[in-house]
């Protein structure tokens, strides 16, 4: 079984300051991990993904995430927040156990990021 | 214009009524998924299909039904047995040769009258 915990339901930052969104995961297999972003009433957009290559993953819009196996974490960061970053962010783990379950995603509960001017 | 389309954007259901949500894709992806999103609960998997004419129940399939007669289409029916259907419904696709990344449509918001 696999699970994802996003440690903060809301994060508030000022424009131009760093962003940190925290995620812990649990998986029986070497996981694939993703961060998706969702703007209000829209679908989800892939920010970045980790698939057992480099542990520091760079994504779109200046975001990056670091896979830390010893801490079972996959935190999302950005050096300087922009107003357009305000959205909900989901940390996601993929089932790699094979068979018909291959590719099933388990979602965290989401972190709403607010950016103040 | 390639991608995933979901229609309608908003859908209203009356008591005891079945309604069908459309999901169409022209990405030539093999696998398709339906998720339900409620505030503060992330996304939960309703049904998924790895190939045409085959589909499996997800974590919350009760009160829902699907079909996969064509590769491009994966409609979801919300039946009258689903007692709390108000939610945002998202369709996603995945290429079998493209790893585990799923790509999402714009969603349909279902409201009960």
């Amino acid at each position: 079984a696999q699970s994802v915990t996003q440690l903060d339901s809301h994060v508030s930052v000022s424009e131009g300051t760093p962003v940190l969104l925290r995620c812990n995961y649990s998986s029986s297999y070497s996981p694939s991990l993703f961060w998706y972003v969702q703007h209000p009433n829209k679908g989800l957009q892939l920010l970045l993904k980790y698939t057992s290559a480099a542990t520091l993953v760079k994504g779109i819009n200046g975001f990056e995430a670091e896979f830390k196996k010893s801490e079972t974490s996959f935190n999302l960061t950005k050096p300087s927040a922009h107003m357009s970053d305000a959205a909900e962010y989901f940390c996601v783990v993929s089932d790699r156990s094979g068979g018909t379950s291959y590719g099933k995603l388990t979602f965290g509960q989401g972190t709403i990021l607010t950016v103040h001017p | 214009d390639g991608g995933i389309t979901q229609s309608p954007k908003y859908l209203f259901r009356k008591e005891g009524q079945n309604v069908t949500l459309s999901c169409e894709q022209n990405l030539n992806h093999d696998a398709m998924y339906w998720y339900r999103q409620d505030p503060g609960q992330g996304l939960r998997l309703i049904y998924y299909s790895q190939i045409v004419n085959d589909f499996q129940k997800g974590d919350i399939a009760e009160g829902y039904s699907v079909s996969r007669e064509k590769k491009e289409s994966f409609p979801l029916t919300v039946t009258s047995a689903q007692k709390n259907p108000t939610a945002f419904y998202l369709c996603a696709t995945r290429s079998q040769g493209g790893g585990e990344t799923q790509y999402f449509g714009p969603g349909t918001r279902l409201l009960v009258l």
Side-chain angles (χ1 to χ4, degrees), chain A residues 6-97:
Chain A
Q6 292 182 242
L7 282 77
D8 305 292
S9 58
H10 291 81
V11 169
S12 182
V13 300
S14 297
E15 191 174 22
T17 64
V19 175
L20 169 63
L21 304 183
R22 298 182 295 165
C23 173
N24 287 349
Y25 70 91
S26 171
S27 177
S28 303
Y29 297 85
S30 180
S32 288
L33 293 157
F34 306 81
W35 277 98
Y36 283 86
V37 60
Q38 184 182 34
H39 290 90
N41 294 309
K42 302 289 186 186
L44 275 68
Q45 181 185 18
L46 179 68
L47 275 179
L48 50 81
K49 63 181 177 181
Y50 166 79
T51 55
S52 75
T55 56
L56 184 62
V57 182
K58 294 190 183 298
I60 62 171
N61 301 334
F63 284 94
E64 62 182 36
E66 186 171 9
F67 173 72
K68 291 187 177 181
K69 186 175 181 179
S70 60
E71 299 176 13
T72 61
S73 69
F74 189 57
N75 296 337
L76 182 70
T77 61
K78 183 174 180 178
S80 177
H82 192 273
M83 295 295 290
S84 61
D85 295 328
E88 188 163 16
Y89 292 79
F90 292 95
C91 183
V92 182
V93 62
S94 175
D95 189 325
R96 309 181 86 185
S97 60

Side-chain angles (χ1 to χ4, degrees), chain A residues 36 38 41 49 100 103, chain B residues 37 48 50 100-102 109:
Chain A
Y36 283 86
Q38 184 182 34
N41 294 309
K49 63 181 177 181
T100 58
Chain B
Q37 184 177 22
Y48 63 106
Q50 304 277 31
E100 298 133 283
T101 303
Q102 291 185 22
R109 188 164 296 281

Side-chain angles (χ1 to χ4, degrees), chain B residues 26-41:
Chain B
N26 61 6
L27 300 171
N28 200 34
H29 286 178
D30 301 286
M32 298 186 74
Y33 303 80
W34 273 106
Y35 294 92
R36 171 181 171 136
Q37 184 177 22
D38 297 279
Q41 295 194 46

Side-chain angles (χ1 to χ4, degrees), chain B residues 1 7 10 22-24 30 32 35-36 40 51 57 60 63 70 74 84-85 94-95 100 102 112-113:
Chain B
D1 188 22
S7 61
Y10 295 94
S22 169
C23 177
E24 302 279 332
D30 301 286
M32 298 186 74
Y35 294 92
R36 171 181 171 136
I51 57 171
K57 292 182 178 180
I60 56 163
K70 299 187 301 183
F74 191 41
N84 184 24
R94 180 177 66 84
S95 171
E100 298 133 283
Q102 291 185 22
V112 177
L113 293 176

